[in-house]
Amino acid sequence: MRNKINFFVFTCFLLSLPLSVFAGGGGEKEPAEKVIRVIDIEYVQYQCYRNRIEGAERAAEDYGIEYTVMTPTEVSVVAYVEALINAINQDYDAIFIEPWSVDAFAEPIQMAYDKGMQVVIVEIPYPDDSKVLSQVYIDFAAYGKVAADIVNREKGGKANILFMMTSPDMANQAVQRESFIAACKELSPNLKVVATEFTEANAVVAAERLESAFTAYPEIDVVMFVESGGVVAAADVAKEMGILDKIMILGIDDPEDLITSIRNGEVWGSLCQNFQRQGYEGIRNIYDYFHGNPFPIKTDAGFVLIRQNN
């Protein structure tokens, strides 16, 4: 009788054990959630792009995204596109793209789309929504109008303006220039863009062309930038030429040297694009897509004026 009781107790003990005890690898496990891998093409040498990276990194930490940055070999459309193609040929789920030129970027965006890689457009709007997951962009036409309003207000409706951009093929800067000139004409016949120069994203080149422009057009009293690398060079050149006190310099974005120059009262101010928001919301949109959550297809990241007192 005792043996029967012992056998009954032992049988109940076995039945009470979890199945994992009998399954040699620890039993069946819940499948691990797939880690979403995102690659971002950025020029890390520029503060504005580091700001976007910081925003993306915060979102990646918040949402458990694996986030990688790749830097092109040089600052040019060709080098950027080469980096894009390299990234697209790797095993990522999504990619950040800032399409400097619609024509040049159409092929890599199509490549990513065909591969099933989700594309988030940042800063520069892209005309074909069908090929991208979302766009966190800057309204460059609005940017030019706001800049014109600032110049008009500060100069009392009369200014001779030097417009500084990276190169003629930068689509976003071309839009900023066109909208700025159009807004100036609407605001006052005495707001005139007397020259446009190209910095080639090089402070030395910017300084040379600024000096030439100041010499050729001594009436210049405003310098309007839509690229950040040459802004401080404008203040340095104007200071060396003894004309800084008559020049209003309106920069773009917030590299450290530019902020210092604003604080020192050399550069008048900077109209800063919201790069942190571009990075954060771009990553969040990718997370929401892969988790079936609603997200905005288009978001205007906006901009803010930085002055000496703020």
Side-chain angles (χ1 to χ4, degrees), residues 1 6 16 113 129 132 140 196 234 244 247 249 267 287:
M1 181 69 175
N6 287 342
S16 69
Y113 177 80
D129 283 334
V132 304
F140 293 110
T196 299
L244 182 60
I247 302 289
I249 302 171
V267 172
Y287 174 88

Side-chain angles (χ1 to χ4, degrees), residues 208-247:
E208 292 172 352
R209 294 183 179 174
L210 283 156
E211 183 176 1
S212 296
F214 288 149
T215 302
Y217 304 94
E219 68 272 25
I220 289 171
D221 55 0
V222 173
V223 184
M224 166 70 187
F225 278 88
V226 289
E227 73 88 26
S228 61
V231 182
V232 174
D236 292 341
V237 170
K239 192 187 307 181
E240 290 173 7
M241 296 179 69
I243 59 173
L244 182 60
D245 60 344
K246 76 160 222 174
I247 302 289

Side-chain angles (χ1 to χ4, degrees), residues 10 66 75 103 108 228 238 261 275 283 289:
F10 179 69
E66 183 180 312
V75 182
D103 293 338
S228 61
S261 189
F275 280 86
I283 290 290
Y289 168 77

Side-chain angles (χ1 to χ4, degrees), residues 28-66:
E28 294 184 7
K29 297 180 180 178
E30 290 287 329
E33 183 175 342
K34 176 180 171 4
V35 176
I36 302 165
R37 303 178 70 236
V38 179
I39 189 162
D40 185 5
I41 313 300
E42 297 285 7
Y43 286 97
V44 298
Q45 63 268 44
Y46 296 108
Q47 181 63 49
C48 58
Y49 297 127
R50 292 199 296 271
N51 291 344
R52 186 157 63 206
I53 291 169
E54 288 173 8
E57 285 176 338
R58 285 192 296 108
E61 183 175 351
D62 289 347
Y63 294 100
I65 302 289
E66 183 180 312

Side-chain angles (χ1 to χ4, degrees), residues 105-126:
F105 283 69
E107 182 179 353
I109 288 174
Q110 184 68 49
M111 285 176 60
Y113 177 80
D114 291 342
K115 191 177 178 181
M117 179 183 286
Q118 302 305 315
V119 173
V120 170
I121 298 295
V122 289
E123 188 177 4
I124 303 173
Y126 190 70

Side-chain angles (χ1 to χ4, degrees), residues 3-20:
N3 289 339
K4 290 183 178 180
I5 293 174
N6 287 342
F7 177 77
F8 175 77
V9 171
F10 179 69
T11 302
C12 291
F13 170 73
L14 291 177
L15 291 173
S16 69
L17 290 176
L19 290 175
S20 60

Side-chain angles (χ1 to χ4, degrees), residues 63-93:
Y63 294 100
I65 302 289
E66 183 180 312
Y67 172 73
T68 302
V69 174
M70 177 185 291
T71 301
T73 55
E74 63 180 30
V75 182
S76 70
V77 171
V78 172
Y80 195 134
V81 169
E82 287 176 352
L84 276 178
I85 293 172
N86 183 9
I88 291 166
N89 286 326
Q90 298 183 44
D91 188 24
Y92 288 93
D93 301 298

Side-chain angles (χ1 to χ4, degrees), residues 297-310:
I297 303 301
K298 289 186 175 181
T299 302
D300 182 354
F303 37 84
V304 63
L305 178 64
I306 301 173
R307 289 294 318 281
Q308 189 176 30
N309 58 2
N310 69 344

